């Protein structure tokens, strides 16, 4: 499908896949592998999410879908490729779905953030992950964008956009 309805259909499909595939033990095992690589501190949810995002940013080079279709790759398949050859290729949907699965497997509750670059209406141009957490020390709500497609930016960078919507997954 094209336009906004096509976007919403894709997001709905991604929500289903993220919920289902995050239950595979292989996903949690790989998420734990990433946390140990990054030596994240215990009980730091945002650190864990940023480590996962950074890993995907650095190990999943961007490759476009065929112009004729919207392909969505299985996160499990991408994890198997990362395990065997250290790299897996994908577009923003693939990276976002993989990150969502890894975060959900760790007990997190990521959101899909779909944005439009130039206007407030019409189809979305980009999708990435947002995570939210309440910092108990100063009781502030924290929000971090995890956009693995932005290879030159650090995790947390969010491309300026005209409008966008958050979609809960779990």
């Amino acid at each position: 499908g094209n336009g906004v309805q096509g976007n919403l259909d894709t997001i709905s499909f991604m929500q289903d896949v993220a919920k289902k595939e995050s239950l595979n033990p292989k996903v949690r095992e790989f998420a734990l592998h990433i946390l140990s690589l990054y030596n994240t501190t215990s009980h730091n949810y945002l650190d864990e999410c940023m480590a996962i995002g950074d890993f995907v940013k650095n190990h999943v080079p961007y490759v476009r879908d065929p112009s004729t279709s919207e392909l969505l790759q299985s996160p499990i398949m991408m994890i198997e490729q990362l395990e065997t050859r250290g790299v897996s290729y994908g577009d923003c949907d693939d990276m976002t779905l993989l990150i969502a699965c890894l975060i959900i497997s760790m007990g997190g509750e990521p959101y899909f953030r779909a944005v439009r670059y130039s206007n407030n209406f019409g189809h979305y141009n980009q999708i990435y992950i947002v995570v939210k957490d309440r910092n108990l020390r100063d009781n502030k709500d924290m929000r971090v964008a995890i956009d693995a497609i932005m290879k030159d930016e650090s995790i947390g960078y969010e491309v300026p956009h005209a409008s966008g919507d958050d979609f809960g997954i779990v």
Side-chain angles (χ1 to χ4, degrees):
N2 291 329
V4 178
Q5 192 52 55
N7 291 154
L8 295 175
D9 292 345
T10 300
I11 291 167
S12 170
F13 180 72
M14 288 171 71
Q15 287 167 319
D16 292 343
V17 173
K19 278 188 281 217
K20 206 162 54 224
E21 294 212 356
S22 62
L23 299 173
N24 186 312
K26 187 175 282 205
V27 177
R28 184 175 170 92
E29 185 55 41
F30 198 73
L32 292 170
H33 165 67
I34 293 171
L35 300 194
S36 70
L37 281 179
Y38 280 78
N39 206 8
T40 55
T41 49
S42 182
H43 287 82
N44 192 328
Y45 172 60
L46 293 180
D47 262 13
E48 292 172 353
C49 294
M50 290 171 80
I52 287 167
D54 193 67
F55 181 91
V56 172
K57 181 183 88 168
N58 292 322
H59 293 84
V60 182
Y62 179 83
V63 174
R64 288 185 303 193
D65 282 340
S67 61
T68 50
S69 68
E70 175 60 59
L71 286 181
L72 266 178
Q73 296 188 70
S74 152
I76 308 280
M77 185 185 80
M78 292 180 76
I79 287 170
E80 285 166 355
Q81 291 166 348
L82 286 162
E83 284 172 338
T84 54
R85 55 176 199 234
V87 67
S88 178
Y89 296 85
D91 69 358
C92 61
D93 292 349
D94 300 320
M95 290 181 220
T96 297
L97 186 53
L98 175 59
I99 292 166
C101 276
L102 290 164
I103 291 174
I104 293 167
S105 80
M106 301 299 306
E109 296 182 14
Y111 294 79
F112 290 132
R113 173 100 179 137
V115 299
R116 302 174 186 90
Y117 289 144
S118 56
N119 65 41
N120 292 320
F121 308 102
H123 67 88
Y124 297 107
N125 303 112
Q126 164 70 317
I127 189 166
Y128 49 90
I129 292 294
V130 167
V131 290
K132 301 169 186 179
D133 198 24
R134 179 152 278 252
N135 179 326
L136 297 174
R137 259 197 319 272
D138 31 3
N139 205 23
K140 282 207 185 77
D141 286 326
M142 310 265 299
R143 175 186 178 283
V144 178
I146 300 176
D147 187 352
I149 201 177
M150 301 299 297
K151 304 301 185 187
D152 301 334
E153 303 287 350
S154 50
I155 292 297
Y157 176 80
E158 194 164 10
V159 178
H161 50 273
S163 67
D165 297 294
D166 289 349
F167 298 87
I169 304 171
V170 288

